Amino acid sequence: MSKRIRVLQLGSSTGLYGAEHWILALGRHLPHARIESVIGVIKDSLGGPPALCVEAARRGIRTRVFESHGRLSRAAIGQLRNFIRDHEIDVLHTHGYKTDVIGFLGVRGTRCKIVSTPHGWSANAGIKVQLYEALDRLVFRFFDAVVPLSSDLYEGLLRFPGLRPKLRLIRNGVDLSEVDSVTQRSPELQAWKSQGSVIVGYIGQLIPRKGLDTLLHAFSKLDIPGKRLCIIGEGPQRAELERLAGQIGESDNVHFFGFRDDRIALMKCFDVFVLPSRLEGIPRCVLEAMAARVPVVATDIPGCRVLVEDNVTGMLFPVDDHIGLATKLRLLLGNDGLRDSMADAGHGLVRRDYSAETMAEKYTELYVELAGGDGATLEDRRGRGAQA
């Protein structure tokens, strides 16, 4: 195809977390000779430019902000439709229930194809979020393709009528070049380590689904000299978690760093990375920790289980079981050889099966298939291939 395919990645303005880093990694590794990328954001809050657009622009990727007043803003839908027409966007790629629904409405009346990547669903969410996510899954049947990033998400979507022909599994990938490019570790954390500190770390959003209360209670059970817990990220639960750290007597040992651009430099100082989530797709933070050769302890849920083979590439513990987590942490923190073995095994897994380059190759194939130029849907083209 002589003309480059124009793809608009549509994200949210929540910050720079797993889905946003996923979008940036894909934008970086798509072949520029074949794919022209734009990264857009649905902005529904006051404040400065969205972090995703700021970081994309810094990397030389074209960006666009669509202003939304309310969850399903007519203005945002109109802005999106006009942008698709004016800039001849071939494929709109959405991420999350809000961008899915606005994107679905925005492509109507255009030739633009639409594909969604579900990154996971909320756990113990309020009724409003549950309704939005239910609506999201209903509109998927009208998309040209739906591409979950884990087998668990894929299997879950197979239950919905009319979705099977639309589904394509492309596994999550991590930008190994980004992890490898960070050669200097955090001086801040290195100073602690030189004083004999043992560092347990978490990176991600501070929201109930992440199970950080379990991590705090487990940390309080560790009788280890010089122990420190580093929590990197922001979210609505921060004040609650800070209060909990005080209530369990760990305020001096638990450090809330907020959002940090140097998260990889910090992560490379961790003795153990912990993900205590109650629900995940394929967690990007675990992939990054493995890529950085940091041993991982994670909850025994489908998304984590894909990556963490217990006692091989890391350790698993039952959801909400802070005693079980504390036991795993004692085992790892007390055995340097075991930590090194698991870190090496996790690193090998990510290098072999979960690189952003492999993920980008598969998405390039999908975009070419979607923008084939004959007006056929993905389902039509698959049918032709089966008949050939």
Side-chain angles (χ1 to χ4, degrees), residues 7-39:
V7 178
L8 171 60
Q9 304 282 346
L10 194 59
S12 72
S13 56
T14 55
L16 278 179
Y17 294 104
E20 292 75 33
H21 284 293
W22 187 98
I23 293 170
L24 290 167
L26 183 60
R28 179 176 183 173
H29 289 281
L30 287 169
H32 296 167
R34 302 180 70 188
I35 308 294
E36 181 181 345
S37 295
V38 182
I39 291 180

Side-chain angles (χ1 to χ4, degrees), residues 74-89:
R74 284 188 178 182
I77 295 166
Q79 292 169 45
L80 177 61
R81 183 179 294 122
N82 290 337
F83 184 85
I84 288 170
R85 286 173 172 164
D86 294 345
H87 297 270
E88 298 181 341
I89 300 298

Side-chain angles (χ1 to χ4, degrees), residues 93-111:
H93 191 163
T94 57
H95 306 266
Y97 69 83
K98 180 170 185 177
T99 61
D100 290 342
V101 176
I102 289 179
F104 163 68
L105 296 172
V107 299
R108 296 185 68 182
T110 76
R111 296 182 179 180

Side-chain angles (χ1 to χ4, degrees), residues 14 21 36 53 77 79 81 136 153 207 210 220 232 243 315 333 348 378:
T14 55
H21 284 293
E36 181 181 345
C53 286
I77 295 166
Q79 292 169 45
R81 183 179 294 122
D136 190 20
L153 290 171
I207 55 177
K210 297 297 185 177
S220 72
I232 300 164
R243 285 194 298 272
M315 285 185 165
L333 294 172
L378 179 63

Side-chain angles (χ1 to χ4, degrees), residues 186-201 219 225-232 251-257 260 266 269-271:
S186 165
E188 195 173 353
L189 269 60
Q190 282 292 89
W192 289 348
K193 292 182 75 69
S194 68
Q195 298 165 9
S197 290
V198 175
I199 299 177
V200 177
F219 182 75
K227 68 176 184 177
R228 292 182 187 268
L229 173 59
C230 297
I231 297 177
I232 300 164
S251 289
D252 292 340
N253 300 320
V254 178
H255 306 271
F256 290 85
F257 285 78
R260 293 284 292 257
L266 291 160
C269 296
F270 295 171
D271 291 290

